[in-house]
Amino acid sequence: MTPEFDLIETYFTMPAQKALLGVGDDCALIGLAAGNELAISTDTLVSGVHFFADADPFKLGRKALAVNLSDLAAMGAAPRFVTLAITLPSIDPAWLSAFSRGFFELAEQAGIELIGGDTTRGPLSMTLTVLGEVPTGDALRRDRAQDGDDIWVSGSVGGAALGLKYLQGTVTLKPGVAERALERLHAPVPRNKIGEKLRGVANAAIDISDGLVADLAHICQRSQLAAAIEWALIPISPALLSVGPDVRMACALAGGDDYELCFTAHERMREAIAVIASEAGVPLTRIGRMRSGAANVSVLDERGNELNTAIAGFDHFSV
Ligand code: ADP
Ligand code: MG
């Protein structure tokens, strides 16, 4: 069996670039540019809970980092450093090598540096901590939405949830559609470039990990405002066009795992947001408005009537 140190050396070491001291000592050392704040977030993925035990290790390595990068995107923070605490049931070189390749492929793309972690034996799980940098006072917080703000969402929603339903066997999909939905589930693309560009443009932001309505409700709660969104404006995943209206609505409104950004901004920012979308090559779609009132999300039909969202498997989103 490979000793733990060799394992770390082989699979989890990259040369220190921006860190003053990376993997290999008791602590890593990092510097912070003057005038910047650190944004820090931790997420754990547990086998059988957040991913299937037989998940493709390359995609898993990528996704473990992607979901953490998404939290930095939602704060408008630039990705800088990450630590990885991994618990492994056994040492499987093929699995570790694929996991590590997936992880480092995205790390390189995102410009984030692995500076340390921990390696233990036990049921498969991984805990990542990401550190990002943001100019002092510029972070995109959930509690800064303003009455009258437009509500926006990046990319499309509902595809990942459809992929999950497909794996669970509750929907049947044609091969091409299934492939697209599974891609959304297994290979989410964190919106870091968009998040950084939204500094000074958006008032509040969150990433969609639990579902559009549930996550927008967090902005409502923290900002003490209501949100009204229009069903017809929501950019649903193209894969959802091939399923019935009930599944479509459930996935688009309540489906998690898309890792898109939902943010609010003053209407004078519409032009700036259109420019950010075209530079990123990712659609940014206006789906509704923040307004005064109790902290909840209503979904409206084309006539402005509240939609019966019980059909989507939930009744109300009051928080
Ligand atoms: P310690 O006993 O001081 O915690 P470890 O043997 O756990 O040291 O780790 C040795 C070095 O390897 C440390 O710098 C630690 O941050 C790093 N490290 C351990 N596991 C990982 C991992 N999975 N990914 C990246 N770095 C790791
Ligand atoms: Mg340790």
Side-chain angles (χ1 to χ4, degrees), residues 56-243:
D56 175 338
F58 178 86
K59 287 180 178 157
L60 186 59
R62 212 177 180 288
K63 183 169 175 177
L65 181 56
V67 304
N68 279 273
L69 283 168
S70 180
D71 284 318
L72 292 179
M75 294 301 284
R80 292 287 187 255
F81 306 107
V82 56
T83 66
L84 167 66
I86 189 162
T87 304
L88 299 163
S90 63
I91 295 172
D92 173 349
W95 192 95
L96 276 163
S97 149
F99 179 89
S100 149
R101 277 188 288 111
F103 181 94
F104 282 119
E105 183 188 274
L106 181 57
E108 230 164 81
Q109 283 168 14
I112 197 164
E113 198 171 314
L114 181 65
I115 54 167
D118 201 19
T119 306
T120 52
R121 188 184 279 265
L124 181 62
S125 80
M126 52 219 66
T127 297
L128 282 76
T129 298
V130 283
L131 295 91
E133 246 178 302
V134 59
T136 302
D138 281 358
L140 304 174
R141 301 166 45 141
R142 297 179 184 184
D143 60 359
R144 295 289 197 264
Q146 303 294 311
D147 186 5
D149 271 3
D150 292 325
I151 301 166
W152 297 80
V153 65
S154 69
S156 68
V157 292
L162 186 65
L164 184 60
K165 281 187 191 295
Y166 173 75
L167 288 182
Q168 290 168 336
T170 58
V171 294
T172 48
L173 301 173
K174 290 194 190 115
V177 176
E179 203 179 310
R180 218 182 310 173
L182 290 174
E183 180 74 9
R184 293 291 292 168
L185 179 65
H186 292 316
V189 180
R191 303 302 190 189
N192 294 90
K193 286 283 167 289
I194 293 175
E196 286 177 56
K197 285 184 174 156
L198 286 174
R199 297 197 292 242
V201 172
N203 286 328
I206 192 166
D207 66 322
I208 304 177
S209 53
D210 296 333
L212 173 60
V213 169
D215 286 314
L216 179 54
H218 290 308
I219 290 184
C220 291
Q221 183 187 35
R222 301 295 298 272
S223 297
Q224 285 305 298
L225 289 171
I229 57 176
E230 292 177 47
W231 169 246
L233 298 180
I234 296 172
I236 61 169
S237 165
L240 288 177
L241 295 174
S242 64
V243 295

Side-chain angles (χ1 to χ4, degrees), residues 4-5 7-8 11-13 22-28 82-86 114-119:
E4 183 194 308
F5 185 75
L7 185 155
I8 297 164
Y11 300 111
F12 297 120
T13 301
V23 169
D25 211 313
D26 296 310
C27 289
V82 56
T83 66
L84 167 66
I86 189 162
L114 181 65
I115 54 167
D118 201 19
T119 306

Side-chain angles (χ1 to χ4, degrees), residues 22-67:
V23 169
D25 211 313
D26 296 310
C27 289
L29 297 172
I30 58 173
L32 187 63
N36 278 6
E37 291 173 340
L38 266 187
I40 305 169
S41 172
T42 297
D43 261 311
T44 296
L45 284 87
V46 177
S47 175
V49 179
H50 303 97
F51 59 90
F52 295 102
D54 62 353
D56 175 338
F58 178 86
K59 287 180 178 157
L60 186 59
R62 212 177 180 288
K63 183 169 175 177
L65 181 56
V67 304

